[in-house]
Amino acid sequence: MRKKVIAGNWKMNMLPDEAINFIQELTPMVEKTQNEVILCVPYTDLFYALLNAQNTNIKIGAQNMHFEQSGAYTGEVSGKMLKAIGVEYVIIGHSERRQYFAENDETVNKKVKSAFENNLKPIVCVGETLEQRENGETKEIITSQTEKALNGLSNEQVENTIIAYEPIWAIGTGKTATKEDANDSIKAIREKIRQIYGQNTAERVIIQYGGSVKSSNAGELFEMSDIDGGLVGGASLKVEEFSKIVNYNS
Ligand code: PGA
């Protein structure tokens, strides 16, 4: 049985004092859950978040990283730097990074490889635009993004990758994919992984759904056969709401 993994993506929100308060409030609310809880926070919150999440079941992730270890890349942060302060997870290839910061399948693959070199677990985002969906290209797009992101990884590395299927038209819009649609898309991703890496790896890889997940729809989504939890944006900024999503099954 795969476990459910619920990750918050704060995006460019939350100052350090807000992050500290959030984690202190969240800690007792989620301490009994069997689900894995991750908060992906801005770089400037990482250190405070890590300190306050010590000795809790809350794991901390970053939202991006550079693929080189160090060098003349003004303004960038490497996987090596994240690992050095104790970060465990990193979101890679979020659609906002693909859209506004020119990330593509090639840079996503470089970042995923660099994450593993630095013992970070990547949360790799894939998803189709509304136009692609309307043209019937969803499965082709998301399976191709998945294949390219994972290119060159070992089976063990693929099993330690979290994939977040996030239809772009559902992010921050209040529109959620139906649970059947989301499950079908995730099944297609799992099938692609099965074709390349075999049945065992495909059965082990965690594939989340993301896009307007909230406490009122989390349960029905996460109970589908292939949806292994969620990547949660807006609803991860409110501690009550996020704790309800984490505790959807308790
Ligand atoms: P949303 O964002 O939950 O606000 O739609 C999800 C995401 O972008 O990861």
Side-chain angles (χ1 to χ4, degrees):
M1 258 294 270
R2 292 182 299 270
K3 64 186 166 194
K4 303 288 178 182
V5 180
I6 290 118
N9 172 14
W10 283 355
K11 309 193 179 186
M12 198 171 72
N13 295 292
M14 303 288 254
L15 299 174
D17 59 335
E18 296 169 314
I20 292 166
N21 287 338
F22 187 102
I23 292 169
Q24 289 180 352
E25 278 182 50
L26 182 68
T27 296
M29 295 174 167
V30 299
E31 67 187 355
K32 294 206 178 73
T33 184
Q34 301 296 310
N35 307 325
E36 189 158 324
V37 190
I38 307 171
L39 286 175
C40 295
V41 309
Y43 290 134
T44 45
D45 290 341
L46 279 172
F47 197 69
Y48 303 95
L50 285 159
L51 282 179
N52 283 275
Q54 267 178 2
N55 306 317
T56 76
N57 58 344
I58 302 166
K59 309 267 172 61
I60 301 299
Q63 299 171 9
N64 178 36
M65 57 174 269
H66 197 275
F67 48 78
E68 295 292 349
Q69 299 282 66
S70 62
Y73 300 99
T74 302
E76 290 292 314
V77 171
S78 71
K80 187 177 179 182
M81 291 168 167
L82 296 176
K83 188 66 195 176
I85 61 165
V87 173
E88 279 183 73
Y89 291 87
V90 57
I91 297 175
I92 291 179
H94 189 279
S95 62
E96 286 150 18
R97 298 223 45 97
R98 294 183 194 246
Q99 187 180 351
Y100 305 129
F101 302 98
E103 295 207 12
N104 55 41
D105 291 332
E106 192 188 332
T107 58
V108 168
N109 180 241
K110 285 185 179 173
K111 290 182 180 199
V112 170
K113 286 180 174 159
S114 177
F116 279 114
E117 277 162 31
N118 291 293
N119 290 315
L120 295 163
K121 288 191 190 165
I123 302 173
V124 180
C125 302
V126 300
E128 81 286 1
T129 62
L130 187 56
E131 198 188 342
Q132 289 164 336
R133 165 160 289 243
E134 283 169 352
N135 290 337
E137 295 166 355
T138 298
K139 287 185 183 166
E140 190 186 319
I141 295 288
I142 62 179
T143 56
S144 156
Q145 286 175 334
T146 302
E147 179 172 6
K148 289 175 181 159
L150 303 181
N151 185 33
L153 297 190
S154 67
N155 279 57
E156 194 191 339
Q157 287 172 330
V158 173
E159 289 166 25
N160 281 301
T161 302
I162 297 173
I163 296 169
Y165 166 60
E166 300 204 303
I168 294 170
W169 49 271
I171 295 178
T173 56
K175 289 186 198 144
T176 320
T178 64
K179 57 186 183 179
E180 291 83 8
D181 251 10
N183 201 48
D184 270 3
S185 293
I186 289 178
K187 272 190 177 166
I189 294 170
R190 204 178 297 287
E191 172 57 20
K192 174 57 84 178
I193 293 174
R194 194 190 63 75
Q195 286 166 12
I196 305 173
Y197 299 95
Q199 180 75 14
N200 287 346
T201 296
E203 286 303 322
R204 284 183 193 140
V205 65
I206 300 286
I207 312 181
Q208 300 172 315
Y209 168 78
S212 298
V213 173
K214 39 189 185 281
S215 61
S216 56
N217 60 22
E220 61 178 51
L221 286 161
F222 301 169
E223 265 152 21
M224 297 301 284
S225 64
D226 281 68
I227 304 182
D228 305 323
L231 183 57
V232 185
S236 75
L237 295 170
K238 296 181 208 113
V239 71
E240 289 264 351
E241 175 70 2
F242 186 64
S243 73
K244 280 189 200 159
I245 297 171
V246 170
N247 292 317
Y248 80 95
N249 54 351
S250 56

